[in-house]
Amino acid sequence: MLIRRQSTRARRPGTHRAAHAAAAVAVAAVLGLGACDAGGETPPKGKAAAGPSVVAPGKPGEPAKTMSAQEAAKALPDGSPNGADFTYARMMIEHHRQALVMAELAPKRAQSAKVKGLAERIAGAQGPEIAAMQGWLDNNGGKKHKGGHDHGAMPGMATDKQLAQLREAEGKDFDRLFLKLMITHHQGAVDMATEVLSQGNNVQVEEMATDVLAQQTAEIGRMRDM
């Protein structure tokens, strides 16, 4: 959900791994070229088992490095999940669940067809996202990486009082309150996605967070127009 103000720590989504990915592609390409070149040559004495050498591009302003294929493979970025990845997945599951609770009220209490359609799209998108994030946790040993976090302290979450007011509202009053609460809710999700893109380390979490960032930013714009 877009933000009162995006996190000052956040970088542009994906930039902290873009350089790594570029380097990985370059290394992989050079590995392939090295293997092709080595196919028609006789290895120097004493280096028959060493395999082709690899020229890995250095960082900006630094010279390229020559290393063995094994060393180049080890130099590729490690995408192992870190604490930020696990925290994001757990908290976003709870965040999405509250959005579903709010969206489920719209069919019977909203007056606007646009609000009903929006609620239907939110439910259709965030239900599968919850399943995807839970699947990621299960596949990456999430049970072993439990961390304490306060769901109520998550950005954008509606309070119990606000949810009670939404359940009691009908017609135009429901539409206005639903949009107000959901804009804030989406803004909180965008804050969380932006933060994990800066602090996380796992490519799958990065992809999920990027989807949340794009989708919910667009929905904020539509809700403000309503």
Side-chain angles (χ1 to χ4, degrees), residues 14 20 27 33 55 84 90-91 93 107 123 134 137 163 171 198 211-212:
H20 288 164
V27 170
L33 290 173
V55 178
R90 284 199 187 88
M91 294 181 71
I93 285 171
Q134 187 59 59
L137 283 171
L163 289 176
S198 174
D211 287 343
V212 167

Side-chain angles (χ1 to χ4, degrees), residues 162-180:
Q162 288 172 325
L163 289 176
Q165 291 172 338
L166 188 65
R167 289 187 179 100
E168 293 172 1
E170 290 187 81
K172 289 184 178 180
D173 290 339
F174 177 91
D175 294 342
R176 281 191 292 266
L177 184 56
F178 178 85
L179 291 171
K180 178 182 177 181

Side-chain angles (χ1 to χ4, degrees), residues 15-173:
T15 53
H16 70 297
R17 277 186 287 276
H20 288 164
V25 171
V27 170
V30 177
L31 272 169
L33 290 173
C36 293
D37 292 343
E41 297 180 4
T42 302
K45 291 183 179 180
K47 294 191 177 180
S53 60
V54 175
V55 178
K59 296 178 182 179
E62 296 182 0
K65 296 179 181 180
T66 301
M67 59 183 75
S68 70
Q70 292 82 359
E71 290 172 331
K74 291 179 181 178
L76 294 176
D78 177 15
S80 301
N82 62 15
D85 294 316
F86 286 109
T87 297
Y88 172 80
R90 284 199 187 88
M91 294 181 71
M92 192 58 80
I93 285 171
E94 296 304 319
H95 207 268
H96 275 17
R97 282 175 177 163
Q98 187 182 78
L100 295 184
V101 168
M102 295 164 65
E104 287 169 358
L105 297 172
K108 292 183 178 180
R109 308 196 78 79
Q111 175 174 305
S112 167
K114 288 184 177 180
V115 169
K116 291 180 180 180
L118 171 69
E120 185 177 356
R121 288 193 298 273
I122 288 172
Q126 297 196 20
E129 286 175 2
I130 288 172
M133 287 184 284
Q134 187 59 59
W136 180 87
L137 283 171
D138 293 341
N139 292 333
N140 288 274
K143 292 181 180 179
K144 298 179 182 178
H145 295 83
K146 290 185 177 179
H149 52 268
D150 180 5
H151 295 158
M154 285 187 284
M157 291 287 279
T159 65
D160 290 342
K161 181 179 180 180
Q162 288 172 325
L163 289 176
Q165 291 172 338
L166 188 65
R167 289 187 179 100
E168 293 172 1
E170 290 187 81
K172 289 184 178 180
D173 290 339

